[in-house]
Amino acid sequence: MWNIIGILFVSACIFIIEALLLLKHKLWKDFIVFIIFLFLGTGLSIARCINFPIPNPIELLTWIYQPLSESVNKIFQ
Amino acid sequence: MLDNGKITANQYKMLVLLFTIGSSILVAPTALVNDAKQDAWIATIFTVIISILLVLMYIKIYSIFPNMTLVEICELLLGKWIGKFAVALFLMYAFILSGELLREIGDFTTTQMMPDTPIDAIHIVFMGVVVMATLLGLEVIGRSSEIISLWLFILLAIYFIAILPQIKIGNLQPILGEGMKPILFGFYHFISLPYLELIVFLMIAPFVNHQKGAEKGFLVGVIIGGILLTFVVMFSILVLGVENTARQIYPSYALARKIEIGKFFQRVEVIMAGIWFLSIFYKLTISFYAFVLGLSQLFKIKDYRSITLPISMMLIVYAIAFHPNIVHFFEFVHNIWPLYSLTIGFLFPLILLGTALMKKRQRHVRGNR
Amino acid sequence: MNKRLTSLLFILASIMLLAGCWDRRELNDIAIVSALGIDKVDDELLVTIQVINPGQVATVKQGGITKAPVRTFQSKARTLSEAMRKVTTFSPRAVYSSHLRMLIIGEDLAKEGMGEIIDYVVRGKEFRTDFYLSIAKNTRAENILKVLSQLETIPAHKLSSSLKLSEKSWGPIETIEINQFVNELVYKGIEPHVIGVEIIGNPEAGEKIENVEKTKADAYLKFGSVAIMRKDKLVDWLTEKESNGLHYALGKVQRAVINVPCKEKKVAIETIRTNSKIQTKVDGHQFKGTIQLHIDGSVAEVQCERMDLEKIETINLLQKKAEEKVKKDILTAIQASQKKYEVDIFGFGEALHRSHPSIWHKVKKDWHSHFKDIPVHVDVDVKLRRIGTINNSPLHEMKP
């Protein structure tokens, strides 16, 4: 419970620090990109707190390279 | 150019050196000795020589486009859609690299020094400094590296000199007793970590104020870094022996534990740990910087600083999420990472170079008409 | 102004938050383990830890002994980790193992196989590699740890210091560190050996404070024979001559004494440094082991009346006699290693690995069957450099 509040608090701080600057300089695209990543960051952190599964690129890479790695290991063993 | 900072060629060389020794100075001997046993040092020397060729390839790309970061080069050469896709692939590599490095320092600290501290606490504090460095810009990173590397070399010198009395030359024998295959296997693992990772320096290279200096600095940094790593591997074998090194998760730390001069200069391993904290810090900062810069160039936003903080949140989450435990971490780094690094660190720049040279010839031919 | 304030607040926050408080261990909350003893009792491991009593160490150093400077705690469990943690049920402090000086293994556990305790000691982050290994001879490790000693307030320090000193001054003694033991355990071409420690005197009297109050203690600890092991199991104890020969062959002897006969009395040769080389040569299908030993020594004591040290022939004779004596000890050790126990503690296998790796890979699977029959050639070369501060003994001039 407290972790999530902590994360939201940190997100809010980051928002305050950055977003107001961006809006002041009227950098709309930057603002949108910033919001997207802030959302992602906050979302992922909260997902971790509640043990919600997160997409893991390592799984993808392992799936892609596993057969090749096994062949390489066989060559050298 | 999103960063108005410029770094000198010497600073670039220092950064390359620090990146090369990075996390390898702490963990490389284990994999190498497991593969090549007492010939691991031959594998390292062989890898250093091959790495020169690799770096020459990177330098060639840089020399064709000295003012563009890797992301910009990629988009230019491969077109809008394929280019952006390739950039995304490269950026994923940089992101995963950063996550692995953060996890490495967290695991090391909680294994050897502070087991009760939650690993997240270490990640957050360490990332805090990395983010600060990134926000302050490349100039600050470059200048600080010159100062820090001095301390690092002093500590390294003390490290090597202090352990010198305990070497047993017999540990290197039988030289070439296992044949060439184990040495090549060691080379295969060693080139992927750290050498193929040096591709991220093509994001930093355009900010060096002197092109020839950057090219020379890249080479010199890699070579000196390689020599230092060779020393670490050799000393591990000479002092600890093959079996003991192969068993250690952090061989350099076990090596530092053996330092005993007189009765007073002993138990100094934590001071030596400072070396690895510094080297991993710089490797992480550069990877992180490359990622954030690349991402901001991909989305064409004005300043990379805006997205730095949100990205750091994601990195802290993923540093843990990538691997549930240290064994998964090892398996990935040992089996998958070499192939992934080969794709991004060798195939990708090779394709870029090929495309660039082809386009040059096309233009040349067209120009001659 | 504002910037200064924020950076000051930042620094203050960092100082307070970065102190690493999660892992704080206050000095008065830890029990510093100086010696660890492990026995096997009823299929469980009996762990005895010798913990330093810091307040008492200071008092003892000042001369007033009222309480023992160390305490021993014991616990029994199936694994070492469990046993070390069980200790907290009656020890008021948390166990801290980084200052371990001695690891003593009980003889029964060594006979059964000490492999099961190796992993904990190597894997744990608190354990360093600079402690010495020893096997308790004819007794349990717990008894060794209970003996208090004079001169050195903490018995474990006494043990480790005396071990280190003896290694330099007395042939049959050698310090064994965990790394060396593990290497010898793992390599197929050499078997480990460990120094033994025993209690001389009455063990029960050794636990009492009175033991250190007398000029001659009722019980004290003595290092002696070398235990020969096959993999991790204790096979037997070597005799003093065999231990001596082993250490000479391994080049571990620094300053020791060789007693050389002259008529009915002896001349003592003191070694200054030794240098040994163990090799395994290959001659067709035959293996041949060689030990080359070079000793620099000086004459330390002359008991005979008619020995003219001003003549070079005398020195040559003494050198030759010393060479014979050492060679005899080494051959006794080789006899024990090859024929009596069939255990390669010299490392001829490893020597073969170093010089002929391809041949080694073929024979390493059953090296001990090859080893027991290979002829070993021992070559000892003693060079006497000096003869002390006088040339001829006063006895030389002594008229009957």
Side-chain angles (χ1 to χ4, degrees):
Chain A
M1 183 61 215
W2 287 106
N3 324 3
I4 300 184
I5 295 184
I7 294 169
L8 288 173
F9 176 68
V10 170
S11 290
C13 289
I14 297 178
F15 183 79
I16 296 173
I17 300 173
E18 296 287 346
L20 302 180
L21 254 165
L22 288 175
L23 286 172
K24 214 190 327 169
H25 294 269
K26 296 219 192 294
L27 299 155
W28 302 122
K29 190 185 192 189
D30 297 28
F31 182 71
I32 296 177
V33 174
F34 168 75
I35 289 292
I36 295 176
F37 280 117
L38 186 62
F39 227 60
L40 270 175
T42 318
L44 284 168
S45 308
I46 295 180
R48 231 202 96 203
C49 284
I50 59 176
N51 287 322
F52 188 80
I54 307 175
N56 192 356
I58 303 285
E59 310 274 328
L60 174 68
L61 288 172
T62 313
W63 178 77
I64 296 177
Y65 288 107
Q66 182 78 343
L68 191 56
S69 114
E70 279 170 13
S71 323
V72 171
N73 283 346
K74 276 213 190 73
I75 298 178
F76 283 112
Q77 289 303 22
Chain B
M1 221 42 51
L2 291 168
D3 189 331
N4 289 321
K6 285 278 184 188
I7 57 172
T8 69
N10 196 44
Q11 288 164 357
Y12 188 67
K13 179 174 66 177
M14 282 302 158
L15 288 175
V16 170
L17 207 160
L18 287 166
F19 186 96
T20 310
I21 59 183
S23 54
S24 305
I25 201 167
L26 181 58
V27 294
T30 306
L32 277 161
V33 171
N34 264 309
D35 291 336
K37 305 275 182 292
Q38 68 279 357
D39 294 329
W41 61 284
I42 302 181
T44 43
I45 294 179
F46 180 62
T47 315
V48 172
I49 297 174
I50 303 286
S51 73
I52 297 178
L53 298 172
L54 182 69
V55 171
L56 283 173
M57 175 170 75
Y58 295 153
I59 293 178
K60 187 73 184 152
I61 299 178
Y62 167 61
S63 63
I64 301 178
F65 302 100
N67 292 317
M68 303 173 77
T69 70
L70 183 64
V71 169
E72 295 172 334
I73 298 172
C74 187
E75 288 193 18
L76 176 71
L77 285 176
L78 299 179
K80 193 151 186 246
W81 297 114
I82 310 178
K84 281 205 191 289
F85 180 66
V87 165
L89 287 181
F90 166 72
L91 289 178
M92 184 165 89
Y93 181 74
F95 184 70
I96 296 179
L97 177 61
S98 311
E100 307 281 272
L101 285 166
L102 188 59
R103 181 62 181 270
E104 183 77 72
I105 197 74
D107 270 335
F108 173 64
T109 313
T110 51
T111 307
Q112 295 283 174
M113 290 179 266
M114 301 163 109
D116 287 331
T117 313
I119 201 169
D120 280 304
I122 298 180
H123 285 172
I124 294 176
V125 172
F126 208 77
M127 247 349 252
V129 190
V130 173
V131 163
M132 191 170 108
T134 313
L135 289 176
L136 286 170
L138 197 56
E139 247 182 48
V140 171
I141 299 174
R143 277 196 235 140
S144 68
S145 75
E146 278 186 312
I147 306 172
I148 298 287
S149 50
L150 179 66
W151 287 104
L152 199 128
F153 293 145
I154 293 176
L155 275 176
L156 265 177
I158 297 176
Y159 183 59
F160 287 138
I161 295 175
I163 206 76
L164 207 53
Q166 304 202 39
I167 65 176
K168 291 189 200 71
I169 300 280
N171 280 343
L172 285 181
Q173 290 176 312
I175 303 189
L176 287 172
E178 315 289 326
M180 281 309 291
K181 227 208 274 187
I183 296 180
L184 286 172
F185 202 24
F187 154 74
Y188 165 70
H189 286 123
F190 193 48
I191 194 101
S192 69
L193 203 164
Y195 295 102
L196 287 167
E197 299 167 346
L198 285 163
I199 181 127
V200 303
F201 267 96
L202 285 175
M203 293 295 294
I204 315 276
F207 299 102
V208 186
N209 58 9
H210 187 210
Q211 183 180 339
K212 280 290 169 204
E215 293 177 9
K216 205 176 108 177
F218 207 161
L219 262 178
V220 174
V222 170
I223 295 176
I224 300 183
I227 293 177
L228 289 173
L229 286 174
T230 308
F231 273 165
V232 168
V233 172
M234 249 208 297
F235 272 92
S236 282
I237 304 174
L238 284 170
V239 176
L240 295 174
V242 168
E243 289 300 320
N244 281 322
T245 312
R247 198 175 307 123
Q248 296 291 338
I249 296 183
Y250 302 111
S252 308
Y253 192 77
L255 194 60
R257 271 195 163 164
K258 294 225 103 198
I259 294 179
E260 188 178 327
I261 304 218
K263 276 222 158 214
F264 65 98
F265 196 66
Q266 44 174 274
R267 295 174 183 268
V268 293
E269 57 263 19
V270 184
I271 303 180
M272 298 305 155
I275 302 176
W276 310 312
F277 272 92
L278 290 172
S279 61
I280 295 183
F281 168 72
Y282 273 100
K283 190 168 177 184
L284 175 54
T285 306
I286 292 172
S287 313
F288 184 67
Y289 179 84
F291 174 69
V292 174
L293 185 63
L295 204 61
S296 48
Q297 287 186 331
L298 179 68
F299 288 110
K300 298 231 175 8
I301 63 176
K302 187 152 186 289
D303 192 2
Y304 71 88
R305 292 190 179 83
S306 338
I307 55 170
T308 306
L309 279 165
I311 300 287
S312 69
M313 283 179 87
M314 290 173 61
L315 191 64
I316 292 177
V317 172
Y318 269 112
I320 304 285
F322 280 152
H323 308 284
N325 55 53
I326 203 168
V327 177
H328 186 267
F329 189 2
F330 283 163
E331 261 196 14
F332 176 74
V333 170
H334 197 71
N335 294 328
I336 312 290
W337 190 252
L339 295 166
Y340 189 36
S341 284
L342 268 169
T343 321
I344 304 284
F346 181 65
L347 277 180
F348 175 55
L350 199 64
I351 294 175
L352 286 180
L353 192 60
T355 319
L357 291 174
M358 234 174 29
K359 286 209 166 139
K360 230 187 188 182
R361 210 189 309 153
Q362 273 182 352
R363 226 180 306 143
H364 202 78
V365 168
R366 224 178 288 148
N368 279 345
R369 287 207 190 127
Chain C
M1 181 55 217
N2 226 356
K3 248 195 175 170
R4 267 206 173 172
L5 195 62
T6 33
S7 43
L8 196 68
L9 278 170
F10 214 44
I11 293 177
L12 275 175
S14 306
I15 293 177
M16 287 197 292
L17 295 174
L18 287 177
C21 291
W22 256 296
D23 271 275
R24 72 178 176 287
R25 307 183 73 168
E26 303 293 338
L27 263 181
N28 54 7
D29 284 338
I30 58 175
I32 302 177
V33 178
S34 55
L36 182 61
I38 310 179
D39 295 297
K40 195 84 177 271
V41 174
D42 301 331
D43 217 30
E44 282 191 316
L45 293 170
L46 174 68
V47 171
T48 315
I49 56 173
Q50 188 183 84
V51 169
I52 298 178
N53 203 352
Q56 283 312 114
V57 174
T59 324
V60 165
K61 278 202 186 326
Q62 283 165 15
I65 304 175
T66 46
K67 288 192 232 163
V70 293
R71 292 217 178 288
T72 52
F73 292 107
Q74 285 189 307
S75 63
K76 245 168 46 162
R78 241 344 233 106
T79 62
L80 267 182
S81 316
E82 203 186 331
M84 295 292 272
R85 287 193 191 286
K86 257 190 186 171
V87 168
T88 55
T89 55
F90 37 81
S91 145
R93 301 178 178 192
V95 167
Y96 184 61
S97 314
S98 290
H99 288 266
L100 188 70
R101 295 285 284 262
M102 291 296 303
L103 174 61
I104 316 268
I105 318 278
E107 192 169 353
D108 292 329
L109 176 60
K111 284 205 180 115
E112 222 183 282
M114 30 192 282
E116 53 187 84
I117 60 126
I118 295 292
D119 188 85
Y120 179 72
V121 166
V122 171
R123 194 182 294 270
K125 79 162 196 47
E126 276 183 7
F127 286 98
R128 308 182 80 247
T129 55
D130 56 358
F131 55 89
Y132 298 135
L133 219 53
S134 183
I135 297 183
K137 187 172 175 189
N138 295 332
T139 181
R140 281 202 191 160
E142 58 173 332
N143 295 329
I144 300 280
L145 259 54
K146 287 180 184 160
V147 175
L148 294 173
S149 59
Q150 305 159 314
L151 270 188
E152 185 67 60
T153 39
I154 301 167
H157 289 186
K158 177 235 180 266
L159 278 178
S160 65
S161 308
S162 101
L163 189 57
K164 198 159 174 202
L165 268 173
S166 329
E167 183 190 43
K168 295 205 178 82
S169 4
W170 181 238
I173 307 284
E174 182 195 353
T175 56
I176 310 272
E177 284 186 2
I178 190 78
N179 269 352
Q180 182 191 337
F181 180 76
V182 170
N183 272 341
E184 292 178 353
L185 185 68
V186 171
Y187 288 149
K188 292 194 178 53
I190 189 168
E191 299 288 349
H193 59 280
V194 182
I195 196 83
V197 60
E198 51 186 333
I199 304 179
I200 309 287
N202 183 1
E204 275 170 35
E207 294 179 48
K208 304 206 174 66
I209 261 297
E210 287 84 44
N211 195 35
V212 300
E213 287 177 346
K214 299 188 179 158
T215 44
K216 179 171 157 67
D218 283 326
Y220 58 94
L221 297 168
K222 179 174 170 306
F223 286 104
S225 4
V226 168
I228 190 171
M229 316 198 62
R230 186 176 293 125
K231 284 279 165 274
D232 65 333
K233 294 188 174 47
L234 172 71
V235 172
D236 203 352
W237 297 95
L238 292 177
T239 66
E240 194 176 286
K241 278 202 198 310
E242 290 165 348
S243 314
N244 207 20
L246 173 66
H247 290 145
Y248 269 112
L250 292 175
K252 294 275 172 77
V253 174
Q254 290 176 46
R255 283 186 158 274
V257 165
I258 310 173
N259 280 344
V260 165
C262 68
K263 300 192 183 62
E264 318 89 48
K265 305 251 174 77
K266 298 259 184 225
V267 172
I269 308 282
E270 198 176 62
T271 65
I272 300 173
R273 64 185 70 89
T274 64
N275 213 312
S276 90
K277 201 157 147 193
I278 298 183
Q279 280 179 311
T280 307
K281 298 212 164 96
V282 182
D283 183 14
H285 286 285
Q286 291 281 71
F287 296 129
K288 191 172 93 155
T290 63
I291 298 180
Q292 279 169 310
L293 181 61
H294 177 84
I295 302 177
D296 274 338
S298 63
V299 177
E301 185 180 336
V302 174
Q303 288 179 342
C304 330
E305 293 170 7
R306 295 253 161 263
M307 176 146 285
D308 192 352
L309 289 172
E310 286 178 346
K311 288 218 181 82
I312 198 85
E313 290 91 47
T314 320
I315 301 295
N316 287 340
L317 180 67
L318 286 174
Q319 281 178 176
K320 204 155 165 288
K321 291 213 168 146
E323 288 169 7
E324 279 164 21
K325 179 92 193 294
V326 173
K327 186 166 172 178
K328 206 169 92 176
D329 279 351
I330 296 180
L331 284 172
T332 321
I334 294 178
Q335 176 83 351
S337 164
Q338 263 190 320
K339 310 291 181 198
K340 210 154 91 176
Y341 304 114
E342 293 179 20
V343 169
D344 182 4
I345 46 173
F346 290 90
F348 286 109
E350 274 311 300
L352 182 64
H353 182 198
R354 282 195 299 270
S355 54
H356 300 87
S358 39
I359 301 180
W360 168 245
H361 283 303
K362 292 201 199 98
V363 298
K364 68 181 177 190
K365 278 197 180 51
D366 52 351
W367 172 242
H368 58 90
S369 60
H370 290 270
F371 164 69
K372 66 185 199 308
D373 293 318
I374 64 171
V376 180
H377 176 75
V378 178
D379 187 16
V380 183
D381 178 32
V382 175
K383 290 264 184 293
L384 290 178
R385 303 286 180 199
R386 287 176 278 281
I387 56 176
T389 55
I390 59 174
N391 41 30
N392 270 328
S393 165
L395 299 173
H396 190 66
E397 302 300 322
M398 193 168 75
K399 298 294 179 211

